[in-house]
């Protein structure tokens, strides 16, 4: 048996660390998404209110209660709340307190001539009688008067006894004053009216107070007693027949069955199996994304940072939707999902943006209610996003695109509502406000792009606009050290930008890449024809192999300079691929002529890689065409056309565009653009008389 070698295991792991990272990232992302999924199973029937039942006759698989609709429960809650009984507290200690204060006042007031006609004991007995009458009936706090309507029955708590009382039986402050005045006027103490009335009005204080805590407690108890069910369906009882319209009681029964089914399926015994099922579906979804990247975007697949970036954005969108569904599902359509394809397209391309968006929306179908409607709306919005959003550095373009996306949301929702409700009367117009908010929040894509550029080292159109400024430090240095190369780069940038616009590629990206594609020539500028200002050619003193090495090395030197100046990888890709694996043909033929015995094709071939996108393919065609056009001594339209055809056809024949996402039709279009532009540059001018 072969002994396990831990050192070899570590070496193998180190050599395959990129793949190991992807496996770990894949597992972590799958676990994170499954964790965010709702803890519930899925009902196997799809049904909508007002639509026919599409399945066979349905019978109850078990006994279950019919759940009341949310609307009905809310109506009951409102009814109980609006008819709630108000509770008041009777404070007996107030009476003794007031009597004591009045007694002290009268006893200490020996100087008043009016009181001298009566004994204090008689007056006090009379006053206490008035106090007893008022407090027995009840004197309500003035702040609580407006809480109750006339003749309303309220509850009055005296100690531990609660009894119902008509609210009008209580004294108010106004009624109290009138009662005191009338009572004294009819008694033998009416001569004391001017003294006793103000005294009693002053010292009498309310003994009936609104008990808010008790009222709320009783109300809450009543609300908690609301029944959530309104009947029972027995096992094997027929619920609905095929073709029946799902409405009214049948709709409520089906809804109740769905809730009960999910509740019974999602129990401890089935929990692990359901999680396993979710994990398989999520893993399959993410695997499709990885396979797409490996097959069609290998340069992204090989970059773990970029793969992490894509997975991070998927999890972020799922997290946002999960939180909204959990805490405020009514705001589901406020979540700006179009941000995902905007961001992915800004850093990569439209096809990957749409692919990622569709896979994310499919995952969200497990989380949201009315999943078909949600998936349809979001996929349509994603398609419109990919088709309309371009040139993010131009804010007006983004505003127009997001306006179009918002409009599509509204139109699609309007159509769904009509289909489901059968008319326009039941459309929830608040959703149109939610879609508008969605559009506003989608502008956050610009801020996210700036954050992602710093966090992941990626590049967007906004950064490309800054890099394409010819006054940047590196391009100024190119202009000083290799002025001919600088002019060549500008011409190639113009050709590439025009070509990209014509076929719908990223014009800003290819223009920026074209400006930097030859920066490696700064190392040995005089060895390149465009920088030779005299008839002296330094290649005359070198062997063809050495000359070819200097020419080939400008790609390697360019990559090194680009990394030194921290240019984004997307720009460095143009430097790497603009010659692909083509031959340095001139020196190859020279070596073949002078020393065929020492002729090795790899010594005269660029190291690649070949172009892997529309933009890098465009640059290869434009670079070779512009450089070759300088060799025409007397350029004519026919010569230029023949030259471009020969160059591009040769590149195609040599397989330089095999990995590029570009069609034959697009290549033909690019040829036409290059021919037109070069003909405009080399057209004959009118000879002006001296």
């Amino acid at each position: 048996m072969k002994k396990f070698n831990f050192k070899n295991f570590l070496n193998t792991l180190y050599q395959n660390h990129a793949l190991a990272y992807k496996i770990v990232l894949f597992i972590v992302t799958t676990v994170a998404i499954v964790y965010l999924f709702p803890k519930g199973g899925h009902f196997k029937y799809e049904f909508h209110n007002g639509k026919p039942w599409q399945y066979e006759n349905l019978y109850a698989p078990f006994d279950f209660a019919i759940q009341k609709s949310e609307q009905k429960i809310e109506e009951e809650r409102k009814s109980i709340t609006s008819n709630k009984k108000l509770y008041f507290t009777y404070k007996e200690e107030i009476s003794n307190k007031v009597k004591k204060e009045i007694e002290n006042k009268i006893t200490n007031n020996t100087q008043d001539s009016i009181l001298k006609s009566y004994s204090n004991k008689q007056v006090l007995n009379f006053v206490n009688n008035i106090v007893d009458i008022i407090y027995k009936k009840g004197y309500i706090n003035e702040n609580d008067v407006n809480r109750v309507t006339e003749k309303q029955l309220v509850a009055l708590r005296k100690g531990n006894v609660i009894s119902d009382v008509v609210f009008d039986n209580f004294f108010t402050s106004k009624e109290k004053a009138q009662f005191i005045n009338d009572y004294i006027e009819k008694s033998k103490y009416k001569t004391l009216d001017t003294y006793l009335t103000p005294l009693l009005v002053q010292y009498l204080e309310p003994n009936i107070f609104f008990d808010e805590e008790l009222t709320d407690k009783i109300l809450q108890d009543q609300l908690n007693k609301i029944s959530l069910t309104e009947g029972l369906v027995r096992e094997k009882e027929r619920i609905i027949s095929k073709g029946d319209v799902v409405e009214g009681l049948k709709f409520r029964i089906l809804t109740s069955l769905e809730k009960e089914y999910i509740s019974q399926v999602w129990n401890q015994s089935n929990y692990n199996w359901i999680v396993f099922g979710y994990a398989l579906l999520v893993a399959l979804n993410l695997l499709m994304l990885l396979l797409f990247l490996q097959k069609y975007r290998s340069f992204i697949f090989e970059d773990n940072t970029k793969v992490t970036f894509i997975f991070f954005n998927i999890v972020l969108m799922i997290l946002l939707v999960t939180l909204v569904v959990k805490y405020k599902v009514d705001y589901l359509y406020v979540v700006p999902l179009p941000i995902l394809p905007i961001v992915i397209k800004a850093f990569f391309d439209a096809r990957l943006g749409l692919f990622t968006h569709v896979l994310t929306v499919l995952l969200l179908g497990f989380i949201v209610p009315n999943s078909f409607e949600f998936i349809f709306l979001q996929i349509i919005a994603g398609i419109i996003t990919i088709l309309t959003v371009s040139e993010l550095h131009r804010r007006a373009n983004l505003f127009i695109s997001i306006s179009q996306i918002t409009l599509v949301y509204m139109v699609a929702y309007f159509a769904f509502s009509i289909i489901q409700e059968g008319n326009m009367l039941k459309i929830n117009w608040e959703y149109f406000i939610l879609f508008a908010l969605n559009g506003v929040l989608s502008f956050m894509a610009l801020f996210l792009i700036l954050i992602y550029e710093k966090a992941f080292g990626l590049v967007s159109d906004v950064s490309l606009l800054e890099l394409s400024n010819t006054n940047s430090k590196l391009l100024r240095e190119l202009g000083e050290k290799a002025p001919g190369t600088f002019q060549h780069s500008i011409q190639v940038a113009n050709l590439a930008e025009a070509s990209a616009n014509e076929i719908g590629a990223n014009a800003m990206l290819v223009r920026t890449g074209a400006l930097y594609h030859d920066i490696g020539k700064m190392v040995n500028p005089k060895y390149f024809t465009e920088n030779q200002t005299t008839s002296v050619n330094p290649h005359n003193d070198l062997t063809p192999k050495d000359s070819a090495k200097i020419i080939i090395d400008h790609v390697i030197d360019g990559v090194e300079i680009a990394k030194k100046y921290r240019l984004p990888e997307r720009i460095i890709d143009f430097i790497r691929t603009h010659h692909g694996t083509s031959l340095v043909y001139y020196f190859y033929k020279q070596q073949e002529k002078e020393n065929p015995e020492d002729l090795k094709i790899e010594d005269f071939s660029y190291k690649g890689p070949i172009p892997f996108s529309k933009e890098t393919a465009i640059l290869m065609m434009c670079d070779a065409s512009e450089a070759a056009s300088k060799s025409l001594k007397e350029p004519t339209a026919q010569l230029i056309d023949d030259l471009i055809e020969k160059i591009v056809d040769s590149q195609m024949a040599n397989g330089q565009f095999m990995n590029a996402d570009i069609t034959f039709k697009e290549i033909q279009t690019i040829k036409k653009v290059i021919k037109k532009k070069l003909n405009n540059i080399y057209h004959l001018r009118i000879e002006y008389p001296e």
Side-chain angles (χ1 to χ4, degrees), residues 163 195 210 247 281 305 369 399 413 451 489 497 509 543 682:
S163 57
Y195 175 79
F210 175 64
E247 59 183 355
L281 291 174
T305 301
F399 177 80
Y413 172 74
I451 294 171
S489 298
E497 183 178 20
L509 176 62
T543 64
Y682 295 114

Side-chain angles (χ1 to χ4, degrees), residues 455-477:
F456 292 90
L458 301 172
V459 61
S460 67
D461 285 355
V462 179
S463 296
L464 292 175
L465 183 64
E466 297 174 0
L467 290 169
S468 63
N469 185 352
T470 54
N471 286 320
S472 65
K473 183 179 179 180
L474 185 53
L475 291 180
R476 283 205 315 269
E477 186 178 345

Side-chain angles (χ1 to χ4, degrees), residues 102-298:
I102 293 175
E103 181 181 351
N104 291 337
K105 179 69 175 176
I106 293 175
T107 303
N108 295 330
N109 189 10
T110 57
Q111 304 300 321
D112 199 314
S113 58
I114 301 178
L115 291 175
K116 291 180 180 179
S117 304
Y118 304 93
S119 69
N120 286 348
K121 185 177 180 181
Q122 290 177 319
V123 174
L124 285 173
N125 288 337
F126 177 71
V127 169
N128 288 339
N129 189 44
I130 296 176
V131 172
D132 288 338
I133 293 172
I134 292 175
Y135 280 150
K136 184 177 180 181
K137 185 176 182 181
Y139 171 25
I140 191 168
N141 182 27
E142 193 66 28
N143 294 331
D144 297 331
V145 172
N146 295 328
R147 294 179 182 272
V148 192
T149 58
E150 293 183 4
K151 305 299 182 182
Q152 182 176 339
L153 197 67
V154 298
L156 183 63
R157 184 178 70 174
K158 291 184 178 181
N160 295 324
V161 179
I162 298 177
S163 57
D164 291 338
V165 180
V166 178
F167 179 75
D168 287 356
N169 290 342
F170 298 141
F171 278 110
T172 62
S173 59
K174 185 178 180 180
E175 292 171 345
K176 172 198 70 175
Q178 185 63 46
F179 171 79
I180 293 170
N181 185 66
D182 293 344
Y183 193 87
I184 295 174
E185 283 292 328
K186 295 177 181 178
S187 71
K188 65 180 181 178
Y189 298 101
K190 61 181 178 179
T191 57
L192 298 178
D193 179 51
T194 56
Y195 175 79
L196 292 179
T197 299
L199 179 68
L200 287 167
V201 170
Q202 178 185 352
Y203 281 95
L204 277 172
E205 56 185 82
N207 69 331
I208 304 293
F209 296 89
F210 175 64
D211 193 334
E212 186 172 7
E213 183 179 351
L214 180 59
T215 300
D216 291 342
K217 182 179 182 301
I218 299 297
L219 173 63
Q220 193 58 50
D221 289 343
Q222 292 175 339
L223 292 176
N224 292 338
K225 290 178 181 177
I226 293 177
S227 174
L228 302 180
T229 62
E230 55 180 345
L232 182 69
V233 176
R234 296 292 183 183
E235 184 179 356
K236 296 183 180 180
E237 181 181 339
R238 187 170 67 181
I239 297 173
I240 192 169
S241 302
K242 184 177 181 179
D244 287 354
V245 178
V246 179
E247 59 183 355
L249 180 60
K250 291 179 181 178
F251 178 74
R252 293 200 300 276
I253 293 175
L254 286 171
T255 303
S256 302
L257 175 61
E258 179 180 11
K259 292 179 180 178
E260 188 67 26
Y261 180 84
I262 292 173
S263 174
Q264 292 196 21
V265 168
W266 194 265
N267 54 42
Q268 193 60 41
S269 61
N270 297 329
Y271 181 88
N272 294 333
W273 283 108
I274 294 176
V275 169
F276 179 69
Y278 274 147
L280 283 179
L281 291 174
V282 173
L284 184 64
N285 188 294
L286 296 178
L287 182 62
M288 294 302 101
L289 178 57
L290 286 176
L291 291 175
F292 175 85
L293 293 175
Q294 185 183 40
K295 186 173 180 62
Y296 298 106
R297 299 293 184 273
S298 57

Side-chain angles (χ1 to χ4, degrees), residues 264-470:
Q264 292 196 21
V265 168
W266 194 265
N267 54 42
Q268 193 60 41
S269 61
N270 297 329
Y271 181 88
N272 294 333
W273 283 108
I274 294 176
V275 169
F276 179 69
Y278 274 147
L280 283 179
L281 291 174
V282 173
L284 184 64
N285 188 294
L286 296 178
L287 182 62
M288 294 302 101
L289 178 57
L290 286 176
L291 291 175
F292 175 85
L293 293 175
Q294 185 183 40
K295 186 173 180 62
Y296 298 106
R297 299 293 184 273
S298 57
F299 67 99
I300 297 177
F301 181 79
E302 292 167 4
D303 190 328
N304 283 337
T305 301
K306 293 176 180 177
V307 176
T308 303
F309 169 76
I310 295 171
F311 277 36
F312 172 79
N313 277 278
I314 292 173
V315 174
L316 178 62
M317 288 297 137
I318 293 175
L319 174 63
L320 289 175
V321 172
T322 301
L323 291 175
V324 171
V325 170
K326 182 177 181 181
Y327 294 106
K328 197 66 177 178
V329 71
D330 292 341
Y331 292 159
L332 176 61
Y333 286 106
V334 174
V335 180
L337 279 181
I339 283 181
L340 180 61
I342 291 174
V343 169
I344 300 298
K345 183 181 179 181
F347 289 116
F348 304 115
D349 60 82
R351 188 177 176 189
L352 178 58
L354 181 59
F355 194 85
T356 305
H357 178 72
V358 170
L359 290 180
T360 304
V361 170
L362 290 176
L363 288 175
L364 291 173
F366 292 108
I367 299 173
V368 300
N370 299 322
S371 57
F372 177 76
E373 175 185 325
F374 178 85
I375 291 172
F376 184 90
L377 288 176
Q378 298 299 350
I379 289 179
I380 290 295
I383 293 172
I384 297 299
T385 302
I386 293 299
L387 293 177
T388 60
V389 173
S390 61
E391 298 180 324
L392 289 175
H393 58 280
R394 297 182 180 178
R395 287 170 292 183
N397 286 3
L398 183 62
F399 177 80
I400 293 171
S401 298
I402 289 179
S403 299
Q404 293 172 335
I405 295 166
T406 304
L407 179 62
V408 167
Y409 265 130
M410 293 179 176
V411 171
Y413 172 74
F414 180 79
F416 260 106
S417 297
I418 291 178
I419 292 172
Q420 293 173 356
E421 303 296 344
N423 56 60
M424 294 175 53
L425 301 178
K426 295 183 179 180
I427 292 178
N428 189 347
W429 297 102
E430 292 180 1
Y431 271 77
F432 292 89
I433 299 175
L434 299 182
F435 291 133
L437 289 174
N438 183 302
V440 172
L441 291 175
S442 294
F443 280 100
M444 289 177 59
L446 290 175
F447 299 101
L448 277 177
I449 287 170
L450 293 175
I451 294 171
Y452 287 150
E453 284 181 339
K454 302 298 182 184
F456 292 90
L458 301 172
V459 61
S460 67
D461 285 355
V462 179
S463 296
L464 292 175
L465 183 64
E466 297 174 0
L467 290 169
S468 63
N469 185 352
T470 54

